[in-house]
Amino acid sequence: MSADDEQRLARVALTWLAEPGTRAVHRLVDRHGPAATLDLLLDGGSPDGWLHSTVAARTAAGDARAVAAEALERADRLGARLVTPDDEEWPAQVAVLANLHLPDVTRRVDVETAPPLCFWVRGSWPLGEALDRSVAVVGARAATGYGQHVATELGYGLAERDWTVVSGGAFGIDAAAHRGALNAGGLTVAVLACGLDRPYPMGNAALFDRVADTGLLVSEWPPGAEPLRPRFLIRNRVIAAGTRGTVLVEASARSGATQTARRAIYTNRVAMVVPGPVTSAMSVGAHDFLREFPKARLVTGLAHVLEEVGRIGADLAPLTRGPQRPADALDDDARSLLEALPRRGAMGVDRLAARAGVDVRTALRKLSLLEELSMVVRRDGGYALIPPSRPKRTTAATTSGST
Amino acid sequence: MSADDEQRLARVALTWLAEPGTRAVHRLVDRHGPAATLDLLLDGGSPDGWLHSTVAARTAAGDARAVAAEALERADRLGARLVTPDDEEWPAQVAVLANLHLPDVTRRVDVETAPPLCFWVRGSWPLGEALDRSVAVVGARAATGYGQHVATELGYGLAERDWTVVSGGAFGIDAAAHRGALNAGGLTVAVLACGLDRPYPMGNAALFDRVADTGLLVSEWPPGAEPLRPRFLIRNRVIAAGTRGTVLVEASARSGATQTARRAIYTNRVAMVVPGPVTSAMSVGAHDFLREFPKARLVTGLAHVLEEVGRIGADLAPLTRGPQRPADALDDDARSLLEALPRRGAMGVDRLAARAGVDVRTALRKLSLLEELSMVVRRDGGYALIPPSRPKRTTAATTSGST
């Protein structure tokens, strides 16, 4: 097995040992890399008591490396591939999750929101490219006809204007958004909370097949993984962080979909909310969200959504992509740091500051900004460049699979 | 005729010479009093070219004093009374209109938003007391069943909790709000844009009779005045400034009701908006308003409205009135100034500052604050105290008419 394959296998094994998002695991991987982290955890060297018991419980049930190898084989048979941060198609923007800190949290799923270690992907689009220009449309499963109508229209309109429609594949709003995008002949991505061989819910099986045919089915969990309840919430951080913004269409009080919008707020994405009749229980969560978060934007249709997501990044025009880049808006120090970064690999802050000719304090501040803009990523104890996404998509056939 | 009667007659005549809200007239009255202003204008001494031609046009059509005297007689036959700032029942909070400056205005009605010179009132409640604890509920004439349902519920709930429901007596949302309050056996005030002898629209005649029986019909225009189009917008500033907050229930794009909410924002009242289906043309203006004004609050029902209006002034409890007064929250300088003010009549800033022992700059700043809190009013080139409203309402029978 090559060193690269060993690292990839280790990511899969780690995801099996502890649920995606576990901060302690992410910190170890950040410092030592996946393979060394796996060794460390399997040797009982977890720095965290809770993680220690979780790992012990899992290893009592099976051999982590063997499970991972089997998952990779199973994915192969399924026509799915593993995507890791070392792959060109990795969606770099999910790195923002390293800095996601939700306030007033009481549940583990609200604390363990670290970036994913890997994705399983079915479909021919490169994952990063599919998510580069994407909007999430999420909402209630028990949606009303009104909500489904709005979600379908939004999915259709966004797809028609070359935006990828991301959702969670659930009944109701999610399914309506995917369908809208598919009907427009556009690109849609379903981010699941279980193995790609058993997409949940079963009732959407035909929809999932259509999504995989022309878009992507994505999951952090290996083939065979069950759609356990907490996983939906773990998954939601990826929908929020992987897109430019999240549109909440309908949500009852305390709905899971409002949690996705909440994660969008705290990862500095745009959280957009479609209002509804105050007499509808399915709009209570949406209205509560608008009242609670002044940063959330009320949107009533496609034009408003385009206006909001167009503000972020290089693209302001609704139909075509301009030549402008986020770098155009940076100040001199930030631009110097960006130019000082090596084309490949990471570099420590001290050396970077020296190369750029700025002091270390300024360097740290500007690098945080660049990280927020998804232009650099913290890695291997330093910072690395995130290559700008390709300016124009070509057809699926010529850019497909890189695993 | 007594000097007092002469001043009252002059106010009526002035309202006939130039539409209510005319800033130039208000400034003159502020400086010279109504009778002297009337003399000045009738002698052709208007400082403003436009006002000069308006006065000339009106005086060519009739004798201002004779018209005013006739209006007073007509009101008497109608059972209506004239209320001026010299009357105890004057709603002092409309003084805030002196400081209302709407941004980006192009139309005269958006500029001429000075406080009223007088009100015509039909009904037994003292006007100031009726408006003291009031909320405006306004919206589209072509309201949907949804909007009318929401407005009726709000009117009912507010009235049930001893809030006066103020609206404009129009078809649709206005009528629904009045009806809700009447059904709860509560107090409702219709602020009209025409003479009280010809309440508009005619189709609401039965409603107007019910309002006058248990609440109040109010207008700035004398009996006989026609409901001309611009008058509705002139009237809206009184609905906004006379209440603690305005709830916009349904509004099409560029509806007149959104102008009331806009005036509420710029007079530092709470502007509240009820959302609706994004598929409804009757909610477009409401949603636009929420998007345009971050200070506007989305409300979905009575609880939210009570929460918003309860924040202002002394009353936070929804059912009973506490003994707290706004004065409790003032700082030492403001309280000194308040105590330095004469019980009756106005006093110049210099003398006031000396009495209170603060410098003139501070005095001016604190007096502005007190003016915003409707505790003092600028009058006769100085400041005058506004007596705090009576703490508890008694029945209509024992507190009726003071004219």
Side-chain angles (χ1 to χ4, degrees), chain A residues 62-63 137 192 262 279 337 372:
Chain A
D63 176 75
V137 179
L192 305 178
R262 204 171 138 84
T279 45
L337 283 159
E372 287 244 315

Side-chain angles (χ1 to χ4, degrees), chain B residues 201-238:
Chain B
M202 283 291 286
N204 279 347
L207 175 67
F208 292 128
D209 284 341
R210 284 182 69 195
V211 171
D213 275 352
T214 59
L216 297 175
L217 288 185
V218 177
S219 178
E220 292 178 78
W221 288 270
E226 281 178 276
L228 303 176
R229 224 180 129 74
R231 288 181 173 164
F232 292 96
L233 205 41
I234 296 172
R235 178 269 321 261
N236 288 352
R237 80 196 195 294
V238 171

